[in-house]
């Protein structure tokens, strides 16, 4: 693909696990917060939470652990630990993130972040790693009615960019996010992080890549 004729008019990025190497960090903080509060930690439940927003994950925790789960205490402890790490600049970028954004600048292709993370925390994270100003729009998981895998957040991002969903390339690391982008009618690349790409997602049209460098090569 050459610079004069891109196959898409905008790029919509997920954030955690795609731009930021943060999912493993969140896992460990979730484990540590649970242990500090004396709460049972189950990794299989944490895997189910990948790609989903805080409201949906809260409901999942209550379903999995029961109505007496100390949800507010856990969320507060997790948030305290996680926000301290963000403030300290402790979240690294994924390989190829800067190079890809630089190439999109050269091609003058607009881009947005569509993340299940709440808007304020997402903006804080992106600002701390120097990426906030590299995007034309940011949609957080607290700004839409239905979280991923529903298409709402990707549709909202396309609307803020003023681009038809079918003309957008969506980049995701999670199957939940890829399902949302496919439901929005977008071209989808999935770059798996903690979980591999589901066969159903690939059958629906998502293309699996190894890294953001592979996306960059598509723009060469």
């Amino acid at each position: 693909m050459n610079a004069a004729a891109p196959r898409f008019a905008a790029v919509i990025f997920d954030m955690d696990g795609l731009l930021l190497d943060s999912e493993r960090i969140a896992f460990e903080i979730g484990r540590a917060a649970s242990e500090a509060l004396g709460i049972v930690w189950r990794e299989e439940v944490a895997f189910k939470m990948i790609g989903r927003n805080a409201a949906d994950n809260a409901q999942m925790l209550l379903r999995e652990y029961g109505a007496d789960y100390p949800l507010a205490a856990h969320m507060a402890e997790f948030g305290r630990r996680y926000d301290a790490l963000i403030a300290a600049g402790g979240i690294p970028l994924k390989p190829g993130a800067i190079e890809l954004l630089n190439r999109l600048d050269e091609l003058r292709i607009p881009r947005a972040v569509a993340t299940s993370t709440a808007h304020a925390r997402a903006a804080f994270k992106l600002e701390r790693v120097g990426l906030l100003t590299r995007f034309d729009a940011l949609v957080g998981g607290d700004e839409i009615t239905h979280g991923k895998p529903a298409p709402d957040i990707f549709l909202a991002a396309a609307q803020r960019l003023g681009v038809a969903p079918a003309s957008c390339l969506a980049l995701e690391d999670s199957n939940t996010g890829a399902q949302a982008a496919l439901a929005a009618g977008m071209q989808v690349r999935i770059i798996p992080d903690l979980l591999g790409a589901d066969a159903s997602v690939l059958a629906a049209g998502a293309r699996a890549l190894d890294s953001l460098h592979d996306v960059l090569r598509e723009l060469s």
Side-chain angles (χ1 to χ4, degrees):
M1 184 174 68
N2 58 51
R7 294 195 297 261
F8 43 83
V11 181
I12 301 179
F13 292 76
D14 178 48
M15 184 179 69
D16 293 297
L18 188 280
L19 281 168
L20 308 182
D21 196 1
S22 50
E23 294 286 21
R24 292 168 182 80
I25 293 170
F27 256 53
E28 289 310 310
I29 290 178
R31 186 193 309 275
S34 296
E35 291 174 352
L37 295 170
I39 300 171
V40 174
W41 164 266
R42 286 165 47 200
E43 191 171 81
E44 70 274 15
V45 176
F47 276 120
K48 292 179 183 179
M49 297 168 67
I50 292 174
R52 300 179 185 272
N53 65 24
D56 289 342
N57 282 336
Q59 292 303 311
M60 183 180 296
L61 288 171
L62 292 175
R63 286 196 304 271
E64 293 286 343
Y65 291 105
D68 59 346
Y69 182 81
L71 183 63
H74 187 268
M75 291 178 67
E77 182 64 17
F78 176 90
R80 182 185 68 79
R81 292 169 180 255
Y82 198 39
D83 288 343
L85 186 73
I86 297 168
I91 298 179
L93 298 179
K94 281 286 194 174
I98 295 298
E99 295 90 338
L100 178 54
L101 290 172
N102 289 344
R103 182 60 176 151
L104 294 177
D105 285 344
E106 293 173 358
L107 296 173
R108 298 184 180 180
I109 295 176
R111 76 299 305 244
V113 170
T115 175
S116 294
T117 299
H119 188 281
R121 179 175 280 167
F124 184 34
K125 292 167 81 170
L126 292 170
E127 187 276 330
R128 291 300 298 159
V129 297
L131 293 187
L132 184 58
T133 60
R134 305 296 302 269
F135 292 92
D136 303 292
L138 166 62
V139 185
D142 57 337
E143 297 180 84
I144 43 88
T145 301
H146 304 292
K148 301 174 184 179
D152 300 34
I153 197 164
F154 283 103
L155 295 174
Q159 183 178 42
R160 292 189 189 183
L161 292 176
V163 178
S167 297
C168 294
L169 173 68
L171 304 178
E172 268 285 355
D173 69 288
S174 74
N175 292 295
T176 299
Q179 289 166 2
L182 287 166
M186 296 182 178
Q187 304 168 63
V188 180
R189 305 290 184 269
I190 181 169
I191 303 166
D193 185 32
L194 294 182
L195 296 173
D198 279 351
S200 61
V201 168
L202 301 179
R207 184 187 303 172
L209 302 175
D210 291 329
S211 75
L212 293 174
H213 289 295
D214 291 331
V215 182
L216 184 61
R217 279 188 278 274
E218 290 193 18
L219 300 174
S220 299

